[in-house]
Amino acid sequence: MRRANPITRGVLFLMGNERRQRITIPVFAILLSLIASSIVLLILGKNPIEAFISLLRGSGILPKEAYAAKKSMLTDFLSLLNAWTPMLFASLSVAVAMRAGLFNIGVSGQMLCAGFIATITVGYTETLPAVVAKPLVVLIGLVSGAVVAAVIGFLKQRWNINEVVSAIMLNYIIRYIVSFFVKATINNPSTRQSWPVSATARLSLMDTELGGLKMDIPLGIILAAVAVVVVHFLFTKMKLGFELRAIGGNPVAAKYAGINVGRNTILVMAISGALAGLAGVTYYLGYFGSIQPDVLISTGFDAIAVCILGNSNPIGIVFSSLLISVIDKGSTYLQSSIGVRQEIGALITGLILLFSACGAYIAYLVNRGRQREEDAKKLSAGTDGKEAQA
Amino acid sequence: MTYLNTIIIDGLSFALPLFIMAIGGIYCERSGVTNLAIEGLQGMGAFVGALAATLVSGMFAADSQAPMFIAMIFSFLGGGLYAVLHAVLCVKFKANQVISGVVINILATALTTFLTSEISTALFGAASNRFRLTTSVRMTVPGLSEIPVLGAVFTNIYPFELVIILVALVAWYVLYKTPFGMHLRACGDNPHAVDAAGVEVSRVRFIAVMISGALSGLGGICFAYSISVQFSSAIYMGYGYLAIAGLIFGNWQIMPTLAACLIFGFARSGGFALTQVMELPSAFTDVFMTLPYIVTLFLLIFFSKSNRAPRALGEIYDKGKR
């Protein structure tokens, strides 16, 4: 058997063993998509390096050449955090379900439901002090998201209805019902959205003057950081986390081991839904500030792919969701600085997600290559030995 | 009376594109590949079709219907070609089929939105996020349309409705009456038996996914012509997911799926008519739009025993597995 050429061998060496592949394969997928987007940018006659730098500048990671009054790199970075918060929650939500072998494709619907209920109950309050209103918004979001998702879990446990199907149905039921109520009750006719929520209930402090700068301070990011730690703790240290992973690995074996699969299915969906609800309130009562009727935002669907890119691991998701938020946030500056349409941001995201979906296949190719390499080494070592004997 | 006519006419023109998309989904899922990508496939198909129509429209008279038929052919091809991506991911790369479907949808939205503005800038010099299409003619069959109530079925028909019925008949025949159709259905229930019979499972599935894309693309361009007379990102209204609801409601069989799509179509047009008759605010149509999804959900609960997905649906085919 011949050994592979040096380039293939180099790639195989860089990808490393299965443990290292958990990091190298997503990085490889991102590299592939950056190459693909560079080709698109070159076709448009733009410099890809310049484009990627302006993505980073637009999202406050690198300094811009000039800033408007009361704006700086810090304000840009804070608004990145503001946009990142819901995406981080949504991806965590998908990850919790994914570890237990369930797909929560209903994150967008759960977000909308939580955001809507929090908006109509607390969102327009003027009397409640902020220290009461804001925790109340968080609590309502958490509970309403959990209830919607628990219904999905219950339908699966009781009647064996595929969670993907019921989640899609619930997504659209929620979308139309919320649209109806928004249009009928809290519609602002001039913007065709709901009235913006009051400052006391809003989870992001918008346009706060601090040190001569006007900044949006997202309070939800602190909560999101806590959630990352909690989810990580759940999976690595808690009995429940172990049971969930066992179910995700093999539900039949988990059942034989005495794990209550049905109860855990509902529980995991409720946890996932609670995180989706937090994503909803940090989006609709934080980053965005109002509800647009007739729209199911793409965050919940993007989150599935972001979760795959981050290996369904809370720490991995921190990085993958940040990357997607940087591209999303930076694309506006991309348009104004080098004149590429900001839709390219969504396109780059789409390409990253596409290549990350191929991750399992890349891993398969790499491991097969490594195996062949080892076999070839053994074989050549064997023949060398025989020759020496002869 | 006029309301009843409107309900039937609008209901049919909505139900038939939905039906052809659902047939595409049936092809894909009966072969054992989960298809959540219908939304993206129909959007990409409609994009390719609308682009073709925009490019050729200069060659024809302003009221010519030829661009529409060219658009339908191209959306059929475009959807089929884009579905190759789903097929490669699911069949060749053995990726998770649900994830692949989601990614295909995200990419389709991003790609068509980006390309629409880029291409319209290149063609017309002005950035626009839509392709304008020509208004479709409506046909009325003389004589038959005079029949009370049922006559509405033959009134104000879009030409694409006839094309869809024709394509649907062919699709029905292929799926249930040809050896290929039998192999396809067997791939979804017992791929190992198909393999043992000497038919390559991955090849059948690959073709099935492509057919699914082609039919979804056709459905997409029909929606572009009937609902908005243009192509824009508004094509992603979630009708692809409604088609999935339709095929589950129809128990993965073509004729019951037609019934499901007709119910969805009439529920929608009936809802619109009801809000007009009762002089309710237009927001109430949103409430009626939830009906198809609620009905499907309850149907799944009550008929969870008899409603049966293909047995090998969503499973990656592994020759060595027993």
Side-chain angles (χ1 to χ4, degrees):
Chain A
M1 198 185 284
R2 275 189 32 225
R3 295 187 66 183
N5 64 44
I7 300 171
T8 322
R9 261 155 58 192
V11 172
L12 288 179
F13 175 74
L14 278 179
M15 299 301 271
N17 58 14
E18 282 188 26
R19 200 178 152 76
R20 214 163 91 199
Q21 279 170 19
R22 293 205 306 227
I23 297 169
T24 51
I25 286 186
V27 170
F28 187 63
I30 293 168
L31 273 182
L32 282 181
S33 52
L34 289 186
I35 292 169
S37 354
S38 303
I39 294 169
V40 176
L41 285 161
L42 284 173
I43 292 171
L44 295 172
K46 308 287 178 191
N47 181 349
I49 309 284
E50 227 174 276
F52 295 139
I53 288 176
S54 42
L55 277 181
L56 292 177
R57 283 184 174 159
S59 50
I61 306 231
L62 289 178
K64 287 180 197 168
E65 277 144 13
Y67 284 97
K70 296 191 175 177
K71 291 285 164 193
S72 76
M73 199 175 123
L74 180 66
T75 57
D76 280 347
F77 185 68
L78 282 173
S79 58
L80 168 71
L81 293 186
N82 204 3
W84 180 28
T85 311
M87 182 50 111
L88 186 50
F89 273 125
S91 311
L92 283 176
S93 159
V94 176
V96 169
M98 188 92 77
R99 279 290 187 96
L102 295 166
F103 268 109
N104 190 356
I105 200 170
V107 172
S108 283
Q110 289 145 24
M111 282 173 72
L112 183 58
C113 182
F116 173 69
I117 292 176
T119 300
I120 48 165
T121 48
V122 195
Y124 298 122
T125 178
E126 300 291 340
T127 48
L128 281 177
V131 281
V132 181
K134 286 185 209 293
L136 206 56
V137 164
V138 169
L139 192 69
I140 290 172
L142 193 128
V143 171
S144 42
V147 168
V148 175
V151 168
I152 297 171
F154 177 70
L155 290 174
K156 186 177 175 79
Q157 184 258 334
R158 182 77 179 75
W159 288 290
N160 199 22
I161 296 173
N162 188 309
E163 76 277 9
V164 173
V165 174
S166 56
I168 290 175
M169 301 301 133
L170 278 175
N171 268 351
Y172 283 96
I173 293 170
I174 292 169
R175 179 195 125 158
Y176 283 112
I177 289 186
V178 169
S179 292
F180 166 71
F181 280 113
V182 167
K183 283 180 199 165
T185 55
I186 49 175
N187 193 26
N188 178 348
S190 60
T191 59
R192 296 193 177 186
Q193 289 174 2
S194 67
W195 295 99
V197 295
S198 66
T200 44
R202 196 157 174 176
L203 297 179
S204 301
L205 310 173
M206 305 302 282
D207 289 334
T208 315
E209 295 242 12
L210 207 68
L213 294 169
K214 241 185 182 177
M215 49 180 79
D216 305 337
I217 303 168
L219 301 174
I221 193 75
I222 301 161
L223 210 59
V226 173
V228 169
V229 176
V230 169
V231 171
H232 186 71
F233 187 76
L234 170 75
F235 280 127
T236 51
K237 302 277 185 243
M238 281 171 70
K239 178 166 161 264
L240 176 66
F242 175 75
E243 289 190 355
L244 297 183
R245 281 189 294 145
I247 294 170
N250 186 340
V252 182
K255 201 173 174 187
Y256 275 114
I259 295 171
N260 188 339
V261 177
R263 196 202 63 180
N264 276 314
T265 302
I266 299 175
L267 192 61
V268 73
M269 282 311 284
I271 298 172
S272 172
L275 288 164
L278 292 176
V281 288
T282 49
Y283 182 85
Y284 290 107
L285 289 96
Y287 174 59
F288 199 65
S290 69
I291 298 173
Q292 201 179 354
D294 297 327
V295 174
L296 206 56
I297 53 168
S298 66
T299 309
F301 299 100
D302 293 351
I304 294 177
V306 170
C307 174
I308 298 298
L309 187 61
N311 260 327
S312 316
N313 178 308
I315 313 295
I317 281 171
V318 170
F319 291 102
S320 60
S321 59
L322 180 64
L323 175 73
I324 301 300
S325 303
V326 164
I327 294 169
D328 182 40
K329 205 70 193 149
S331 55
T332 325
Y333 183 67
L334 190 64
Q335 175 154 9
S336 60
S337 65
I338 68 166
V340 189
R341 253 168 250 296
Q342 71 178 83
E343 285 89 352
I344 189 108
L347 187 60
I348 297 174
T349 306
L351 287 171
I352 292 177
L353 303 183
L354 177 70
F355 284 111
S356 68
C358 304
Y361 187 64
I362 299 173
Y364 161 74
L365 283 184
V366 167
N367 289 330
R368 195 183 63 179
R370 285 173 66 88
Q371 192 61 47
R372 280 189 182 165
E373 191 70 359
E374 259 170 42
D375 291 350
K377 248 188 224 169
K378 269 182 205 158
L379 206 65
S380 63
T383 48
D384 286 352
K386 271 178 200 160
E387 275 162 15
Q389 273 179 355
Chain B
M1 197 59 217
T2 50
Y3 281 118
L4 195 59
N5 279 351
T6 324
I7 291 173
I8 294 175
I9 293 167
D10 290 350
L12 274 179
S13 69
F14 182 79
L16 287 173
L18 198 64
F19 176 48
I20 203 73
M21 274 153 54
I23 293 181
I26 290 175
Y27 263 76
C28 189
E29 301 222 325
R30 285 302 284 267
S31 81
V33 179
T34 307
N35 193 351
L36 290 185
I38 297 181
E39 182 79 358
L41 295 173
Q42 61 96 20
M44 183 55 87
F47 165 77
V48 174
L51 177 61
T54 316
L55 289 176
V56 299
S57 62
M59 299 178 210
F60 297 95
D63 57 345
S64 166
Q65 294 299 305
M68 185 173 76
F69 290 103
I70 291 172
M72 285 166 79
I73 293 168
F74 272 88
S75 59
F76 190 80
L77 297 174
L81 277 179
Y82 186 57
V84 168
L85 202 56
H86 190 52
V88 167
L89 283 173
C90 294
V91 179
K92 176 104 178 64
F93 286 6
K94 301 181 181 353
N96 185 304
Q97 295 168 3
V98 173
I99 293 168
S100 168
V102 171
V103 169
I104 297 283
N105 290 341
I106 295 172
L107 193 65
T109 317
L111 208 57
T112 52
T113 315
F114 179 72
L115 288 178
T116 305
S117 48
E118 280 297 330
I119 291 174
S120 64
T121 315
L123 285 182
F124 313 114
S128 159
N129 56 1
R130 62 199 62 199
F131 291 134
R132 288 195 189 291
L133 299 170
T134 45
T135 317
S136 168
V137 286
R138 311 283 294 256
M139 303 180 302
T140 300
V141 184
L144 285 175
S145 57
E146 308 293 318
I147 307 168
V149 185
L150 273 184
V153 176
F154 303 98
T155 314
N156 280 345
I157 312 169
Y158 283 103
F160 69 66
E161 295 180 41
L162 301 176
V163 175
I164 286 176
I165 292 171
L166 211 66
V167 174
L169 281 174
V170 174
W172 180 85
Y173 182 81
V174 170
L175 188 63
Y176 292 112
K177 302 290 170 193
T178 63
F180 172 75
M182 201 184 72
H183 292 151
L184 192 153
R185 283 179 288 138
C187 276
D189 277 329
N190 194 341
H192 290 89
V194 179
D195 203 4
V199 179
E200 208 179 321
V201 175
S202 54
R203 193 162 155 268
V204 174
R205 287 189 171 172
F206 208 99
I207 296 171
V209 176
M210 281 185 72
I211 293 175
S212 162
L215 296 181
S216 304
L218 182 61
I221 194 74
C222 296
F223 274 133
Y225 271 101
S226 69
I227 291 177
S228 50
V229 204
Q230 65 182 21
F231 174 84
S232 71
S233 59
I235 196 89
Y236 301 102
M237 278 281 289
Y239 296 141
Y241 290 108
L242 189 60
I244 296 173
L247 74 92
I248 294 169
F249 196 152
N251 210 359
W252 287 269
Q253 289 164 357
I254 289 183
M255 289 321 282
T257 301
L258 173 61
C261 291
L262 287 175
I263 292 172
F264 291 177
F266 292 138
R268 179 185 143 96
S269 55
F272 281 133
L274 203 61
T275 45
Q276 279 177 358
V277 175
M278 295 168 69
E279 290 173 353
L280 297 168
S282 64
F284 272 88
T285 50
D286 285 331
V287 178
F288 296 114
M289 284 301 290
T290 60
L291 283 176
Y293 303 103
I294 294 175
V295 168
T296 307
L297 210 49
F298 275 99
L299 187 106
L300 285 175
I301 293 172
F302 290 122
F303 296 95
S304 55
K305 289 273 184 321
S306 59
N307 194 292
R308 194 182 62 81
R311 231 174 269 134
L313 181 61
E315 269 177 36
I316 294 160
Y317 178 61
D318 181 357
K319 269 188 187 175
K321 199 179 147 197
R322 291 201 293 167

